[in-house]
Amino acid sequence: MERQEISFQLQQNEVILVPGIDLAKVLNIPIIYFGFDKSNIRKDAQVELEKVLTALNQYPKLKLEIRAHTDSRGNDAYNKALLQRRATSTLNYLVEEGIVSSRLKAQGFGETKLVNSCSNGVDCSEAEHQKNRRSEFIILD
């Protein structure tokens, strides 16, 4: 088999960062998901958080609000505590990687902003519930 050498250069795209939009959507980063009843950063989420970290390093004045969400399972008080742990876990990961904490804000929404119809009492699959256990990265001014 003949060996072939291919050389190419990637062109970096400039993006406009507008306050109020989700950085993950701008950079086409999949949603950062959490396991059921968990607040630790999963390996798949760590890969995606590295992309957020790269953007924060590239734009040193960029500030983000980390919005954490839970699914509808569990009572409201428990979910509120869980989502705060998730937001803090995400924030701490970025701070441990060198981002100054004053550039980050953590906000928990619990089950108040579900992305589907899986609210209290609705029978949903694990995959449907998973879609609600997420973090978003909203650009601040």
Side-chain angles (χ1 to χ4, degrees):
M1 184 160 94
E2 189 176 319
R3 184 180 170 142
Q4 194 175 29
E5 186 174 317
I6 299 173
S7 178
F8 64 92
Q9 183 177 3
L10 296 176
Q11 181 178 355
Q12 188 172 14
N13 293 331
E14 289 291 322
V15 295
I16 298 173
L17 302 178
V18 179
I21 62 172
D22 188 349
L23 178 66
K25 290 181 182 175
V26 172
L27 300 178
N28 200 25
I29 298 171
I31 292 172
I32 306 297
Y33 289 118
F34 291 91
F36 175 65
D37 198 30
K38 303 286 184 195
S39 59
N40 61 303
I41 302 297
R42 299 183 340 189
K43 294 286 183 198
D44 59 330
Q46 189 174 1
V47 170
E48 302 310 331
L49 281 174
E50 288 297 320
K51 297 172 187 176
V52 173
L53 182 61
T54 298
L56 285 163
N57 285 326
Q58 184 175 351
Y59 299 96
K61 293 184 180 182
L62 178 64
K63 294 181 179 183
L64 295 178
E65 178 181 61
I66 301 164
R67 293 184 178 175
H69 304 269
T70 63
D71 62 32
S72 62
R73 296 178 289 182
N75 69 47
D76 293 347
Y78 178 81
N79 280 343
K80 184 176 181 181
L82 176 61
L83 68 89
Q84 193 56 51
R85 289 194 312 270
R86 287 179 177 169
T88 301
S89 177
T90 304
L91 185 144
N92 287 343
Y93 177 87
L94 294 170
V95 169
E96 288 168 8
E97 294 297 320
I99 302 303
V100 178
S101 63
S102 62
R103 296 176 61 196
L104 304 169
K105 178 181 174 184
Q107 174 80 24
F109 289 92
E111 59 186 87
T112 63
K113 295 184 181 271
L114 300 173
V115 296
N116 54 30
S117 62
C118 295
S119 59
N120 290 339
V122 175
D123 189 30
C124 291
S125 69
E126 177 58 28
E128 290 170 313
H129 281 299
Q130 173 68 82
K131 291 178 182 178
N132 291 312
R133 297 188 305 261
R134 67 198 192 279
S135 285
E136 299 169 316
F137 302 90
I138 306 303
I139 297 170
L140 301 173
D141 51 20

